[in-house]
Amino acid sequence: MTTYPVAQHAKSPRRSPKEQSGGLAVLKEIAIIVISALVLSFLIKTFLVQSFYIPSASMEDTLITGDRVMVSRLTPGLIELERGDIVVFVDPGGWLQPYVPPDRGPVGNAITAGLTVVGLLPSDTGEHLIKRAIGLPGDHVECDAECADSGGPVRINGVPIDESLYVKAGNSPSGGKPFDVTVPDDMLFVMGDHRQSSSDSRFNTSKPGGGFVPVDNVVGTAFSTVWPLDRMEWHSNPDSVFTKVPDATGPAPQTSA
């Protein structure tokens, strides 16, 4: 009788305990790196720098729709606000239309929310605006009817300022809207660089705060456009525009616009 050898299944090589521990160590290191990067990004966003998306034309030509800007959270706080700063602030109340974020589905919404929280995606623009700070607390900011009709300059504390450095070409400094206000304490008077297409302090006098922006609502100041690449630019404060403006004197009561 012929006998046949019994076929034996080849045994798969088993990884040694040392090899297994080495693989776990690599995974652990990767996890530590990823978590550290997320925590660092969150801390940077919370205390130093945050990115925002520009949704409208109100700041043209300095900023255009679709720009991504970097905002320093050190101002206000460690660094004082100055006239001419480009400020991002939370809606004081009623400046923006109700915002409905796009629905990306449960998974997409969760991922988007998570990446936004840690600062890897630009913040939701549903409650934020971006304008230029023109009047600081106590400043008397004005452009009367004659000034507005003639396209004359805005005056701060009695001194006319030349804003041609940043106001959109073809726009008058007042945007044709007369106003005469004294900025209350802890408030700002803001305007968009596209004066003919900016719903700013001039047009929100009936809203909470009377058209002024509480300093506490300011998230920070925009210092750079980082996207698209062909739009990359540094935004320094145009301090030369306000050099001759004297400091505000006396109390800062709220007046009608």
Side-chain angles (χ1 to χ4, degrees):
M1 182 177 63
T2 305
T3 58
Y4 297 93
V6 177
Q8 296 184 355
H9 294 288
K11 294 182 179 181
S12 57
R14 299 183 63 181
R15 299 176 63 186
S16 68
K18 185 176 181 180
E19 290 176 323
Q20 291 177 357
S21 62
L24 291 175
V26 171
L27 293 177
K28 180 180 177 181
E29 289 298 323
I30 292 174
I32 290 174
I33 291 172
V34 171
I35 293 172
S36 299
L38 293 176
V39 170
L40 180 60
S41 179
F42 175 76
L43 292 174
I44 290 173
K45 172 206 166 183
T46 303
F47 299 106
L48 296 177
V49 177
Q50 189 171 357
S51 62
F52 283 88
Y53 168 80
I54 304 302
S56 72
S58 69
M59 283 295 291
E60 289 181 352
D61 290 321
T62 306
L63 304 172
I64 64 174
T65 303
D67 281 354
R68 267 71 169 181
V69 297
M70 300 303 293
V71 173
S72 169
R73 298 194 63 120
L74 299 178
T75 309
L78 293 178
I79 302 174
E80 292 186 0
L81 282 166
E82 297 181 1
R83 301 182 190 97
D85 282 345
I86 301 173
V87 293
V88 172
F89 56 94
V90 176
D91 185 354
W95 288 36
L96 292 169
Q97 296 295 320
Y99 177 72
V100 179
D103 186 2
R104 301 179 176 87
V107 176
N109 291 337
I111 293 175
T112 300
L115 293 178
T116 301
V117 166
V118 298
L120 296 180
L121 283 180
S123 290
D124 193 340
T125 55
E127 63 174 5
H128 295 92
L129 299 99
I130 185 166
K131 307 290 180 189
R132 193 177 294 273
I134 301 299
L136 299 180
D139 281 344
H140 180 206
V141 188
E142 61 178 320
C143 185
D144 59 23
E146 181 180 353
C147 161
D149 289 342
S150 64
V154 171
R155 301 172 71 91
I156 303 177
N157 301 333
V159 175
I161 57 174
D162 179 3
E163 300 183 273
S164 57
L165 189 63
Y166 51 78
V167 168
K168 183 178 175 65
N171 282 207
S172 65
S174 71
K177 172 74 172 177
F179 51 87
D180 186 344
V181 300
T182 298
V183 186
D185 290 332
D186 302 318
M187 295 282 195
L188 300 174
F189 182 85
V190 300
M191 301 172 74
D193 290 356
H194 191 352
R195 297 289 161 84
Q196 259 80 344
S197 182
S198 176
S199 180
D200 48 43
S201 289
R202 297 168 295 161
F203 298 97
N204 288 284
T205 56
S206 62
K207 308 291 176 57
F212 300 105
V213 176
V215 173
D216 286 346
N217 282 36
V218 176
V219 174
T221 56
F223 64 87
S224 178
T225 298
V226 295
W227 188 265
L229 294 179
D230 61 354
R231 291 275 304 160
M232 290 184 69
E233 182 182 1
W234 184 268
H235 302 297
S236 58
N237 179 279
D239 52 2
S240 61
V241 174
F242 306 92
T243 300
K244 297 181 180 180
V245 176
D247 292 336
T249 59
Q254 180 172 342
T255 61
S256 59

